[in-house]
Amino acid sequence: MGTVTAADPHTSFLADKDAKVFVAGHRGLVGSAVVRRLLSLGFTSVVVRTHAELDLTRQADVEAFFAAERPRYVVLAAAKVGGIHANSTFPADFIAANLQIQTNVVDAALRSGSVRKLLFLGSSCIYPKFAPQPITEGALLSGPLEPTNEWYAVAKIAGIKMCQAYRIQHGLDAVSAMPTNLYGPHDNFHPENSHVLPALIRRFHEAKACDAPEVVVWGSGSPLREFLHVDDLADAVIFLMDQYSGLEHVNVGSGSEVAIKELAELVKEVVGFQGKLVWDSSKPDGTPRKLMDSSKIQGMGWKPKIALKEGLVETYKWTTIIIDLWSGRCTMG
């Protein structure tokens, strides 16, 4: 097994902009934001591969890639993701693919001998369903998970533990970041398996295109949720790559809560839908509150910069320009 290349204590990540940085998952919501941020900061050798070019679930291919490219830094944003329906229908796919991706990339990073630092990205779903609010890093493994996405969550928890184990046993500088609910360009706007915010954007846009009289949203609108723009997360990733080398994972959130009702009204305003917003209180609300405690990273000096409304305006502008779905055609009914 290769020896881990010791990081030059005098060279920080941000001062090493000519080094190769491999961003795994560069086409996704998070990976694409990290690539944009790296390029904007002047990094000159950002390495990416599509799934067709490199299947991260194939160990031999991943090892060959690391041996050939020898990246100095790795941001592991690649994952198999999906909504509740997908997790329930394909549990084996979710746990197996994510375990394979994480294991192959982390182990190859060590074996290559070239990697100074690796950052693994997880999800707030790693925490117990009934974790005390706001959720601290210490809540990990303190109770049962949300059953609807436990396959994905268990894989992500294994990723955290793998980074810790490789740090303890092999000295690999591997850290983990756990973001809250994310939104922004390159989000998933699928009608059946998108998350709450992109789903609301799509529904209000389609209602506007159809000149519909109303949009019906499930529940009472009372649950509180936290959202972070993906560009803020990308900024946090760079910050942690530069500033953090601890064993414990780090929460990354906005620290601000918004009621789903207020969120829906805000999306309605941003999209420009003129009809009524109707709440179907016969449908379930879900967890009443989910807020991450991000005091650890904020105590290190990082803070989010993008306000929710500002981020929604920017996200909606991107969807209407880029995605074929938003062509102005009525697709309801």
Side-chain angles (χ1 to χ4, degrees), residues 39-54:
L39 295 177
S40 73
L41 288 169
F43 281 81
T44 60
S45 189
V46 179
V47 180
V48 298
R49 291 291 187 275
T50 64
H51 178 74
E53 293 169 332
L54 175 61

PDB file of all heavy atoms in Angstrom, residues 39-54:
ATOM      1  N   LEU A  39     -12.621  26.984 -10.145  1.00  0.00           N
ATOM      2  CA  LEU A  39     -12.197  27.724 -11.331  1.00  0.00           C
ATOM      3  C   LEU A  39     -12.214  29.225 -11.077  1.00  0.00           C
ATOM      4  O   LEU A  39     -11.316  29.956 -11.521  1.00  0.00           O
ATOM      5  CB  LEU A  39     -13.087  27.374 -12.527  1.00  0.00           C
ATOM      6  CG  LEU A  39     -12.992  25.919 -13.007  1.00  0.00           C
ATOM      7  CD1 LEU A  39     -13.981  25.662 -14.143  1.00  0.00           C
ATOM      8  CD2 LEU A  39     -11.571  25.582 -13.461  1.00  0.00           C
ATOM      9  N   SER A  40     -13.212  29.697 -10.334  1.00  0.00           N
ATOM     10  CA  SER A  40     -13.297  31.137 -10.048  1.00  0.00           C
ATOM     11  C   SER A  40     -12.155  31.598  -9.151  1.00  0.00           C
ATOM     12  O   SER A  40     -11.763  32.768  -9.185  1.00  0.00           O
ATOM     13  CB  SER A  40     -14.644  31.480  -9.405  1.00  0.00           C
ATOM     14  OG  SER A  40     -14.699  31.025  -8.059  1.00  0.00           O
ATOM     15  N   LEU A  41     -11.619  30.677  -8.355  1.00  0.00           N
ATOM     16  CA  LEU A  41     -10.503  31.008  -7.462  1.00  0.00           C
ATOM     17  C   LEU A  41      -9.151  30.895  -8.155  1.00  0.00           C
ATOM     18  O   LEU A  41      -8.125  31.221  -7.559  1.00  0.00           O
ATOM     19  CB  LEU A  41     -10.525  30.085  -6.242  1.00  0.00           C
ATOM     20  CG  LEU A  41     -11.641  30.334  -5.233  1.00  0.00           C
ATOM     21  CD1 LEU A  41     -11.719  29.187  -4.229  1.00  0.00           C
ATOM     22  CD2 LEU A  41     -11.439  31.666  -4.512  1.00  0.00           C
ATOM     23  N   GLY A  42      -9.141  30.393  -9.389  1.00  0.00           N
ATOM     24  CA  GLY A  42      -7.898  30.323 -10.148  1.00  0.00           C
ATOM     25  C   GLY A  42      -7.192  28.982 -10.121  1.00  0.00           C
ATOM     26  O   GLY A  42      -6.016  28.890 -10.522  1.00  0.00           O
ATOM     27  N   PHE A  43      -7.883  27.920  -9.681  1.00  0.00           N
ATOM     28  CA  PHE A  43      -7.274  26.589  -9.754  1.00  0.00           C
ATOM     29  C   PHE A  43      -7.150  26.188 -11.224  1.00  0.00           C
ATOM     30  O   PHE A  43      -8.097  26.315 -11.998  1.00  0.00           O
ATOM     31  CB  PHE A  43      -8.119  25.575  -8.980  1.00  0.00           C
ATOM     32  CG  PHE A  43      -7.898  25.628  -7.496  1.00  0.00           C
ATOM     33  CD1 PHE A  43      -8.531  26.597  -6.724  1.00  0.00           C
ATOM     34  CD2 PHE A  43      -7.044  24.731  -6.874  1.00  0.00           C
ATOM     35  CE1 PHE A  43      -8.327  26.658  -5.351  1.00  0.00           C
ATOM     36  CE2 PHE A  43      -6.821  24.787  -5.504  1.00  0.00           C
ATOM     37  CZ  PHE A  43      -7.460  25.761  -4.737  1.00  0.00           C
ATOM     38  N   THR A  44      -5.972  25.718 -11.589  1.00  0.00           N
ATOM     39  CA  THR A  44      -5.655  25.519 -13.011  1.00  0.00           C
ATOM     40  C   THR A  44      -5.725  24.067 -13.470  1.00  0.00           C
ATOM     41  O   THR A  44      -5.605  23.793 -14.656  1.00  0.00           O
ATOM     42  CB  THR A  44      -4.246  26.053 -13.310  1.00  0.00           C
ATOM     43  OG1 THR A  44      -3.290  25.345 -12.497  1.00  0.00           O
ATOM     44  CG2 THR A  44      -4.145  27.542 -13.027  1.00  0.00           C
ATOM     45  N   SER A  45      -5.903  23.125 -12.522  1.00  0.00           N
ATOM     46  CA  SER A  45      -5.879  21.718 -12.917  1.00  0.00           C
ATOM     47  C   SER A  45      -6.988  20.943 -12.197  1.00  0.00           C
ATOM     48  O   SER A  45      -6.721  20.058 -11.387  1.00  0.00           O
ATOM     49  CB  SER A  45      -4.507  21.103 -12.608  1.00  0.00           C
ATOM     50  OG  SER A  45      -4.402  19.812 -13.172  1.00  0.00           O
ATOM     51  N   VAL A  46      -8.234  21.316 -12.508  1.00  0.00           N
ATOM     52  CA  VAL A  46      -9.387  20.617 -11.945  1.00  0.00           C
ATOM     53  C   VAL A  46      -9.676  19.397 -12.828  1.00  0.00           C
ATOM     54  O   VAL A  46      -9.930  19.543 -14.024  1.00  0.00           O
ATOM     55  CB  VAL A  46     -10.621  21.544 -11.876  1.00  0.00           C
ATOM     56  CG1 VAL A  46     -11.828  20.789 -11.317  1.00  0.00           C
ATOM     57  CG2 VAL A  46     -10.313  22.767 -11.014  1.00  0.00           C
ATOM     58  N   VAL A  47      -9.630  18.217 -12.241  1.00  0.00           N
ATOM     59  CA  VAL A  47      -9.786  16.971 -12.978  1.00  0.00           C
ATOM     60  C   VAL A  47     -11.191  16.420 -12.766  1.00  0.00           C
ATOM     61  O   VAL A  47     -11.639  16.292 -11.617  1.00  0.00           O
ATOM     62  CB  VAL A  47      -8.752  15.923 -12.520  1.00  0.00           C
ATOM     63  CG1 VAL A  47      -8.915  14.622 -13.303  1.00  0.00           C
ATOM     64  CG2 VAL A  47      -7.334  16.473 -12.665  1.00  0.00           C
ATOM     65  N   VAL A  48     -11.873  16.110 -13.859  1.00  0.00           N
ATOM     66  CA  VAL A  48     -13.217  15.546 -13.773  1.00  0.00           C
ATOM     67  C   VAL A  48     -13.345  14.378 -14.748  1.00  0.00           C
ATOM     68  O   VAL A  48     -12.605  14.293 -15.725  1.00  0.00           O
ATOM     69  CB  VAL A  48     -14.317  16.597 -14.082  1.00  0.00           C
ATOM     70  CG1 VAL A  48     -14.286  17.733 -13.065  1.00  0.00           C
ATOM     71  CG2 VAL A  48     -14.171  17.146 -15.496  1.00  0.00           C
ATOM     72  N   ARG A  49     -14.310  13.503 -14.441  1.00  0.00           N
ATOM     73  CA  ARG A  49     -14.623  12.390 -15.334  1.00  0.00           C
ATOM     74  C   ARG A  49     -16.130  12.146 -15.300  1.00  0.00           C
ATOM     75  O   ARG A  49     -16.731  12.153 -14.234  1.00  0.00           O
ATOM     76  CB  ARG A  49     -13.906  11.096 -14.906  1.00  0.00           C
ATOM     77  CG  ARG A  49     -12.400  11.105 -15.076  1.00  0.00           C
ATOM     78  CD  ARG A  49     -11.989  11.097 -16.543  1.00  0.00           C
ATOM     79  NE  ARG A  49     -10.545  10.935 -16.687  1.00  0.00           N
ATOM     80  CZ  ARG A  49      -9.668  11.927 -16.642  1.00  0.00           C
ATOM     81  NH1 ARG A  49     -10.092  13.169 -16.430  1.00  0.00           N
ATOM     82  NH2 ARG A  49      -8.379  11.688 -16.802  1.00  0.00           N
ATOM     83  N   THR A  50     -16.710  11.907 -16.461  1.00  0.00           N
ATOM     84  CA  THR A  50     -18.113  11.511 -16.508  1.00  0.00           C
ATOM     85  C   THR A  50     -18.223  10.049 -16.080  1.00  0.00           C
ATOM     86  O   THR A  50     -17.225   9.315 -16.022  1.00  0.00           O
ATOM     87  CB  THR A  50     -18.689  11.657 -17.916  1.00  0.00           C
ATOM     88  OG1 THR A  50     -17.998  10.742 -18.791  1.00  0.00           O
ATOM     89  CG2 THR A  50     -18.530  13.079 -18.446  1.00  0.00           C
ATOM     90  N   HIS A  51     -19.441   9.612 -15.812  1.00  0.00           N
ATOM     91  CA  HIS A  51     -19.654   8.210 -15.438  1.00  0.00           C
ATOM     92  C   HIS A  51     -19.229   7.275 -16.574  1.00  0.00           C
ATOM     93  O   HIS A  51     -18.682   6.196 -16.327  1.00  0.00           O
ATOM     94  CB  HIS A  51     -21.129   7.982 -15.098  1.00  0.00           C
ATOM     95  CG  HIS A  51     -21.453   6.561 -14.757  1.00  0.00           C
ATOM     96  ND1 HIS A  51     -21.087   5.967 -13.562  1.00  0.00           N
ATOM     97  CD2 HIS A  51     -22.089   5.592 -15.475  1.00  0.00           C
ATOM     98  CE1 HIS A  51     -21.487   4.707 -13.549  1.00  0.00           C
ATOM     99  NE2 HIS A  51     -22.103   4.444 -14.692  1.00  0.00           N
ATOM    100  N   ALA A  52     -19.455   7.711 -17.824  1.00  0.00           N
ATOM    101  CA  ALA A  52     -19.060   6.893 -18.977  1.00  0.00           C
ATOM    102  C   ALA A  52     -17.542   6.756 -19.056  1.00  0.00           C
ATOM    103  O   ALA A  52     -17.020   5.726 -19.497  1.00  0.00           O
ATOM    104  CB  ALA A  52     -19.606   7.501 -20.267  1.00  0.00           C
ATOM    105  N   GLU A  53     -16.819   7.770 -18.633  1.00  0.00           N
ATOM    106  CA  GLU A  53     -15.364   7.752 -18.670  1.00  0.00           C
ATOM    107  C   GLU A  53     -14.755   6.996 -17.482  1.00  0.00           C
ATOM    108  O   GLU A  53     -13.685   6.399 -17.610  1.00  0.00           O
ATOM    109  CB  GLU A  53     -14.835   9.181 -18.681  1.00  0.00           C
ATOM    110  CG  GLU A  53     -15.163   9.946 -19.947  1.00  0.00           C
ATOM    111  CD  GLU A  53     -14.866  11.421 -19.840  1.00  0.00           C
ATOM    112  OE1 GLU A  53     -14.911  11.971 -18.712  1.00  0.00           O
ATOM    113  OE2 GLU A  53     -14.598  12.050 -20.882  1.00  0.00           O
ATOM    114  N   LEU A  54     -15.420   7.074 -16.328  1.00  0.00           N
ATOM    115  CA  LEU A  54     -14.909   6.419 -15.126  1.00  0.00           C
ATOM    116  C   LEU A  54     -16.081   6.012 -14.238  1.00  0.00           C
ATOM    117  O   LEU A  54     -16.760   6.859 -13.661  1.00  0.00           O
ATOM    118  CB  LEU A  54     -13.973   7.362 -14.355  1.00  0.00           C
ATOM    119  CG  LEU A  54     -13.454   6.843 -13.015  1.00  0.00           C
ATOM    120  CD1 LEU A  54     -12.628   5.566 -13.212  1.00  0.00           C
ATOM    121  CD2 LEU A  54     -12.639   7.908 -12.291  1.00  0.00           C
TER     122      LEU A  54
END
